[in-house]
Amino acid sequence: MGTSRSPGRAELRRVDPVIFVTVGTQLPFDRLIRLVDAIAPDLPGRVFAQTGNGKFQPANMDWRSTLSPQDFKRIMRSARIVVGHAGIGTVLNARLLRKPMILFPRRAMLGEHRNDHQLATTRTLAGRPGIAIALNDADLRSLLLDPHKIGLPHHSNASSGEELKAALSEYLAKFPRRARNPLLESRAQTEMTS
């Protein structure tokens, strides 16, 4: 792919990746960005990453540390596959846009988050059509090199949307109120109902 760069605002409007990698807005996730950057030369098509405020700068894919909500949705809409941390906002946006996704959860023992709630999220979502879980480097490489293993999300309909909403609501209810992020919950509820 050549030298990677962070495209300027005008160039960002022309970003149409085959694979869109996102780490969310709260915490860096250099491990995921490094892994995809190492695999990117072997992948067919363009890879674009929203890298967050991590220290690692990709060499094999285009990237931006942050995206406006409009750019985020536009780039996700144009991508064929979404790769991301197991954040609820990422999951909901990909599901709403019917994008196959690979979830690669942050690990508390690696200092990537304060607890392992993302592992719990992946357990809750495992087996759903269009969602693949990668728990290690080999899983991620295998899924990216053979995206047919991910499968396709079901056609969006009221029952599958309600099923996902119920599963996520049940999952969120397991956490004590003080451990939750009210801003994210409010955003998730808004996105589930819109």
Side-chain angles (χ1 to χ4, degrees):
M1 168 175 243
T3 304
S4 179
R5 60 195 168 77
S6 178
R9 178 76 47 209
E11 294 172 305
L12 192 58
R13 284 191 269 277
R14 293 188 297 271
V15 170
D16 289 320
V18 171
I19 298 169
F20 175 43
V21 183
T22 177
V23 302
T25 58
Q26 292 188 357
L27 298 168
F29 196 11
D30 283 350
R31 181 169 62 103
L32 174 59
I33 299 301
R34 270 192 182 93
L35 287 171
V36 178
D37 192 52
I39 300 166
D42 299 328
L43 299 174
R46 185 177 192 173
V47 181
F48 182 85
Q50 175 267 317
T51 63
N53 58 356
K55 291 183 170 80
F56 179 75
Q57 293 188 354
N60 299 307
M61 58 186 175
D62 288 334
W63 59 277
R64 283 288 293 263
S65 56
T66 60
L67 295 170
S68 70
Q70 297 82 7
D71 287 335
F72 180 89
K73 279 206 172 178
R74 187 185 50 72
I75 292 169
M76 185 178 280
R77 187 175 289 117
S78 72
R80 287 192 214 142
I81 299 169
V82 175
V83 178
H85 68 124
I88 299 302
T90 298
V91 172
L92 290 174
N93 277 301
R95 295 300 281 185
L96 288 171
L97 295 172
R98 294 182 39 228
K99 297 295 176 179
M101 68 186 119
I102 301 169
L103 297 179
F104 190 81
R106 287 182 170 96
R107 297 286 182 89
M109 70 181 212
L110 299 175
E112 297 166 341
H113 219 304
R114 66 187 175 278
N115 61 39
D116 279 326
H117 73 276
Q118 290 194 354
L119 283 171
T121 300
T122 59
R123 281 192 293 273
T124 300
L125 298 175
R128 294 190 182 276
I131 297 177
I133 310 302
L135 296 176
N136 56 51
D137 305 15
D139 290 349
L140 184 61
R141 177 175 283 280
S142 174
L143 289 164
L144 284 171
L145 292 174
D146 187 3
H148 293 94
K149 294 177 183 176
I150 303 168
L152 296 173
H154 282 311
H155 193 313
S156 182
N157 62 41
S159 78
S160 67
E162 288 303 313
E163 199 176 288
L164 180 62
K165 181 179 173 181
L168 291 172
S169 294
E170 181 182 321
Y171 167 71
L172 288 172
K174 293 177 184 178
F175 292 97
R177 197 82 179 133
R178 68 181 182 284
R180 297 189 210 169
N181 182 327
L183 180 62
L184 288 178
E185 282 188 40
S186 170
R187 183 172 151 203
Q189 287 297 329
T190 300
E191 289 177 1
M192 282 193 282
T193 56
S194 59

